[in-house]
Amino acid sequence: MDDSQRMWEDRYASGEDSPDGTRPHPEVAALLERTAGEHTGRTPAALDLGAGTGRHTLALALAGYDPTAVDFSPSAARVLADALAERGLPGRALVADLRTWAPEQEQLSGPEVVPRQFDLVLAVYFQHDLSLLRRAAEWLVPGGRLLWITHAPASVEGPPPTVPRPDLEETVAVLEGKGLDLLRAEQVRTTPTALDVVVEGVRPR
């Protein structure tokens, strides 16, 4: 566990709230509203990468998805698993390092079946290099969506300068050759001091 991970684990273990609050990011809320009713006759699978204590995982479950949440923090995963159980919601919280994790690793590691592909893959503020984005693009079913949100380089809010902040062009370039149709690729100001890179893509059916 590196220094950044240790800081977050200590924070979650102490019961301190995430600095991003408990409500879903507005772009996530808008996507769930925009796609409501898109899946009929089955429960769609969703993947929440860097889930923390689960503000987006809970929103996904409430929106009718069967969510899988992944975070490196055992404390965050425990908080999220308890929240899902208390509300009677579907879903699971996995502990893993997303710099190397892939869904197929879970096929042999536990009692719960984790899909290999998803109808929605979501990552909000996973501020590392873009290798995860490259891999996440491969985890979509035909028709599945990917929503990737990070702090833009010019954002006042966000991690310290030592943490990578790829710009919009760098982020989009990672998806070249991945077979996705880009629906959105832009910088979005969510508060007067927060500027986010937002990329949304879909795998053609």
Side-chain angles (χ1 to χ4, degrees), residues 7-8 11-12 16-22 55 125 151 157:
M7 180 273 290
W8 283 109
R11 185 169 193 157
Y12 292 135
E16 187 176 348
D17 288 334
S18 167
D20 299 312
T22 58
R55 61 178 179 141
Y125 299 150
H151 295 285
E157 295 184 22

Short mmCIF file of all heavy atoms in Angstrom, two decimals, residues 7-8 11-12 16-22 55 125 151 157:
data_model
loop_
_atom_site.label_atom_id
_atom_site.label_comp_id
_atom_site.label_asym_id
_atom_site.label_seq_id
_atom_site.Cartn_x
_atom_site.Cartn_y
_atom_site.Cartn_z
N MET A 7 -3.26 6.79 3.12
CA MET A 7 -4.01 7.97 3.59
C MET A 7 -5.51 7.73 3.47
O MET A 7 -6.28 8.00 4.39
CB MET A 7 -3.60 9.19 2.77
CG MET A 7 -4.32 10.49 3.15
SD MET A 7 -5.92 10.73 2.28
CE MET A 7 -5.34 11.05 0.61
N TRP A 8 -5.94 7.17 2.31
CA TRP A 8 -7.37 6.91 2.13
C TRP A 8 -7.87 5.81 3.05
O TRP A 8 -8.97 5.90 3.59
CB TRP A 8 -7.64 6.56 0.66
CG TRP A 8 -7.65 7.76 -0.22
CD1 TRP A 8 -6.72 8.10 -1.16
CD2 TRP A 8 -8.63 8.79 -0.24
NE1 TRP A 8 -7.06 9.28 -1.75
CE2 TRP A 8 -8.23 9.73 -1.21
CE3 TRP A 8 -9.81 9.03 0.46
CZ2 TRP A 8 -8.96 10.88 -1.50
CZ3 TRP A 8 -10.54 10.17 0.19
CH2 TRP A 8 -10.12 11.07 -0.78
N ARG A 11 -8.36 7.19 6.38
CA ARG A 11 -9.54 8.07 6.39
C ARG A 11 -10.82 7.25 6.48
O ARG A 11 -11.71 7.55 7.28
CB ARG A 11 -9.54 8.95 5.14
CG ARG A 11 -10.65 9.97 5.09
CD ARG A 11 -10.43 10.96 3.97
NE ARG A 11 -11.31 12.11 4.12
CZ ARG A 11 -11.08 13.29 3.59
NH1 ARG A 11 -9.96 13.52 2.91
NH2 ARG A 11 -11.93 14.28 3.76
N TYR A 12 -10.92 6.22 5.65
CA TYR A 12 -12.12 5.39 5.68
C TYR A 12 -12.23 4.62 7.00
O TYR A 12 -13.33 4.44 7.54
CB TYR A 12 -12.10 4.41 4.51
CG TYR A 12 -12.26 5.04 3.16
CD1 TYR A 12 -11.44 4.66 2.09
CD2 TYR A 12 -13.21 6.02 2.91
CE1 TYR A 12 -11.57 5.23 0.83
CE2 TYR A 12 -13.35 6.61 1.66
CZ TYR A 12 -12.52 6.20 0.63
OH TYR A 12 -12.66 6.77 -0.62
N GLU A 16 -14.36 8.89 8.59
CA GLU A 16 -14.46 10.23 8.02
C GLU A 16 -15.12 10.15 6.64
O GLU A 16 -14.86 9.25 5.85
CB GLU A 16 -13.07 10.85 7.89
CG GLU A 16 -13.06 12.30 7.47
CD GLU A 16 -11.65 12.88 7.46
OE1 GLU A 16 -10.74 12.21 8.01
OE2 GLU A 16 -11.47 13.96 6.91
N ASP A 17 -15.98 11.12 6.34
CA ASP A 17 -16.67 11.15 5.05
C ASP A 17 -15.70 11.47 3.92
O ASP A 17 -14.67 12.12 4.12
CB ASP A 17 -17.78 12.20 5.05
CG ASP A 17 -18.97 11.78 5.89
OD1 ASP A 17 -19.17 10.57 6.07
OD2 ASP A 17 -19.71 12.67 6.35
N SER A 18 -16.05 11.03 2.72
CA SER A 18 -15.28 11.39 1.54
C SER A 18 -15.38 12.88 1.30
O SER A 18 -16.44 13.49 1.53
CB SER A 18 -15.81 10.64 0.31
OG SER A 18 -15.29 11.20 -0.88
N PRO A 19 -14.31 13.53 0.81
CA PRO A 19 -14.38 14.95 0.50
C PRO A 19 -15.37 15.25 -0.62
O PRO A 19 -15.79 16.41 -0.79
CB PRO A 19 -12.95 15.31 0.09
CG PRO A 19 -12.35 14.02 -0.34
CD PRO A 19 -12.96 12.98 0.54
N ASP A 20 -15.75 14.24 -1.38
CA ASP A 20 -16.70 14.43 -2.48
C ASP A 20 -18.15 14.27 -2.02
O ASP A 20 -19.06 14.41 -2.84
CB ASP A 20 -16.41 13.43 -3.61
CG ASP A 20 -15.02 13.61 -4.18
OD1 ASP A 20 -14.66 14.77 -4.48
OD2 ASP A 20 -14.29 12.62 -4.31
N GLY A 21 -18.36 13.99 -0.73
CA GLY A 21 -19.71 13.89 -0.21
C GLY A 21 -20.33 12.52 -0.44
O GLY A 21 -19.65 11.57 -0.85
N THR A 22 -21.61 12.42 -0.18
CA THR A 22 -22.31 11.14 -0.29
C THR A 22 -23.27 11.09 -1.48
O THR A 22 -23.79 10.02 -1.80
CB THR A 22 -23.10 10.86 0.99
OG1 THR A 22 -24.03 11.93 1.23
CG2 THR A 22 -22.16 10.74 2.19
N ARG A 55 -20.88 5.90 -2.88
CA ARG A 55 -21.95 6.84 -3.24
C ARG A 55 -22.53 6.52 -4.62
O ARG A 55 -23.74 6.67 -4.84
CB ARG A 55 -21.47 8.29 -3.19
CG ARG A 55 -20.33 8.63 -4.14
CD ARG A 55 -19.97 10.12 -4.03
NE ARG A 55 -18.86 10.48 -4.91
CZ ARG A 55 -18.79 11.60 -5.58
NH1 ARG A 55 -19.77 12.50 -5.48
NH2 ARG A 55 -17.76 11.88 -6.35
N TYR A 125 -13.02 10.04 -10.52
CA TYR A 125 -11.87 10.54 -9.77
C TYR A 125 -10.87 9.44 -9.43
O TYR A 125 -10.28 9.44 -8.35
CB TYR A 125 -12.31 11.29 -8.52
CG TYR A 125 -13.16 12.51 -8.80
CD1 TYR A 125 -14.11 12.95 -7.90
CD2 TYR A 125 -13.00 13.23 -9.98
CE1 TYR A 125 -14.89 14.07 -8.16
CE2 TYR A 125 -13.78 14.34 -10.26
CZ TYR A 125 -14.73 14.77 -9.33
OH TYR A 125 -15.50 15.87 -9.61
N HIS A 151 -10.43 14.83 -12.37
CA HIS A 151 -10.16 16.25 -12.19
C HIS A 151 -9.27 16.73 -13.34
O HIS A 151 -8.21 16.17 -13.61
CB HIS A 151 -9.44 16.49 -10.86
CG HIS A 151 -10.26 16.17 -9.66
ND1 HIS A 151 -11.28 16.97 -9.21
CD2 HIS A 151 -10.20 15.11 -8.79
CE1 HIS A 151 -11.82 16.44 -8.12
NE2 HIS A 151 -11.18 15.31 -7.85
N GLU A 157 -10.06 22.34 -7.45
CA GLU A 157 -10.31 21.18 -6.60
C GLU A 157 -9.60 19.96 -7.17
O GLU A 157 -9.40 19.83 -8.37
CB GLU A 157 -11.80 20.91 -6.50
CG GLU A 157 -12.59 22.02 -5.82
CD GLU A 157 -14.05 21.66 -5.67
OE1 GLU A 157 -14.38 20.46 -5.68
OE2 GLU A 157 -14.86 22.59 -5.53
#
